[in-house]
Amino acid sequence: MQIKRLIGINGGTFDPIHFGHLRPALEVLNALHLDEVRFIPAYRPVHRDTPQVSAEQRCEMIELAIHNQPKFKLDRIEIELGGPSYTVNTLRALKEREPDATFVLMMGSDAFAKFDTWHDWKGILALANLVVTHRPGEPMPSEGEIGRLFHQRWVPNLTQDAGQILDLPITQLDLSATALRSYLSHGDSVDYLMPESVARYIKEHQLYQ
Ligand code: ATP
């Protein structure tokens, strides 16, 4: 089959967005020759606390952060869907909206290690391919359900619309939104950890104090 539009799906809470989200997304975009990467903020993440900041403000920060990269797009689909944000529902809705697109769900190796606990993970693989990002040289899973899945589905290049798994070594920055929220709440500098425009927005709106 021929892959048409190849779209990377980068989901998260983005509370707030930082360089640890942006640099890996750029490396995946370039390595897989994606047509675009969609940043999809969760409306109500399933496995964690409700974000501190409104969905609208998280979107505004994403927009500021991706402004200079035309292939990065904000997609409000999980906010429009409302309710708890299950990836399988998001992909179903995306597929309905864009039946000709091929979706590649981006996730870190830590998330992939628990992928078999995700709600309807088989449904996810029926709708999208996966790209598992990891530190260079980090071993990929070889045991258990995830090891088997990786072994069965791994491909060097995507050739199908869904169900294939790629892995990609990327530059990982030891950075999390949790750490950034902690810096911000203590009044510490977040320079060089997130785009300046986002830091300015946070200051102006007095977020994460
Ligand atoms: P929090 O600290 O609030 O849990 P976070 O920064 O870890 O947030 P989210 O905004 O929830 O992350 O986004 C999750 C997605 O971003 C996941 O796919 C995660 O693997 C990826 N991600 C987050 N930080 C990094 C990082 N430093 N390097 C690579 N990927 C990252």
Side-chain angles (χ1 to χ4, degrees), residues 11-15 18 20-21 24 48 106-108 110 172-173 175-178 181:
T13 321
F14 303 112
D15 185 27
H18 53 74
H21 297 122
R48 50 177 295 152
M106 298 163 47
M107 68 176 73
D110 50 339
Q172 284 193 335
L173 309 169
L175 195 55
S176 67
T178 305
R181 290 195 300 272

Side-chain angles (χ1 to χ4, degrees), residues 10 14 16-27 39 61 64-66 68 72 170-177 180 190-199:
N10 191 9
F14 303 112
I17 190 163
H18 53 74
F19 286 144
H21 297 122
L22 291 158
R23 177 70 208 184
L26 182 68
E27 292 188 20
F39 288 75
M61 289 189 278
L64 289 169
I66 65 179
N68 289 330
F72 282 0
I170 54 148
T171 308
Q172 284 193 335
L173 309 169
D174 188 7
L175 195 55
S176 67
L180 282 164
V190 289
D191 287 357
Y192 314 118
L193 300 177
M194 57 163 49
E196 269 181 47
S197 53
V198 178

Side-chain angles (χ1 to χ4, degrees), residues 36-49:
E36 58 184 75
V37 172
R38 297 273 176 83
F39 288 75
I40 304 190
Y43 176 62
R44 184 137 49 85
V46 185
H47 293 296
R48 50 177 295 152
D49 296 342

Side-chain angles (χ1 to χ4, degrees), residues 75-205:
D75 193 325
R76 296 169 191 262
I77 194 158
E78 291 191 350
I79 295 162
E80 287 155 15
L81 291 171
S85 306
Y86 288 106
T87 302
V88 71
N89 296 341
T90 308
L91 288 170
R92 219 171 267 137
L94 285 169
K95 217 45 190 175
E96 242 167 62
R97 202 171 71 181
E98 299 158 85
D100 289 339
T102 296
F103 296 104
V104 190
L105 182 62
M106 298 163 47
M107 68 176 73
S109 49
D110 50 339
F112 181 63
K114 296 185 216 144
F115 181 64
D116 59 339
T117 65
W118 287 32
H119 175 62
D120 195 7
W121 63 272
K122 289 184 180 158
I124 293 175
L125 282 171
L127 291 159
N129 294 307
L130 301 189
V131 56
V132 181
T133 56
H134 59 89
R135 292 195 162 73
E138 182 182 64
M140 294 308 289
S142 57
E143 285 167 14
E145 181 83 46
I146 288 296
R148 250 190 320 278
L149 181 70
F150 186 70
H151 180 72
Q152 285 165 355
R153 306 287 188 114
W154 183 85
V155 288
N157 294 295
L158 297 178
T159 53
Q160 289 179 16
D161 194 38
Q164 297 185 317
I165 303 177
L166 277 171
D167 72 302
L168 189 67
I170 54 148
T171 308
Q172 284 193 335
L173 309 169
D174 188 7
L175 195 55
S176 67
T178 305
L180 282 164
R181 290 195 300 272
S182 168
Y183 289 141
L184 289 161
S185 71
H186 292 101
D188 294 339
S189 167
V190 289
D191 287 357
Y192 314 118
L193 300 177
M194 57 163 49
E196 269 181 47
S197 53
V198 178
R200 219 175 298 123
Y201 179 96
I202 289 172
K203 205 167 184 186
E204 276 166 22
H205 292 82

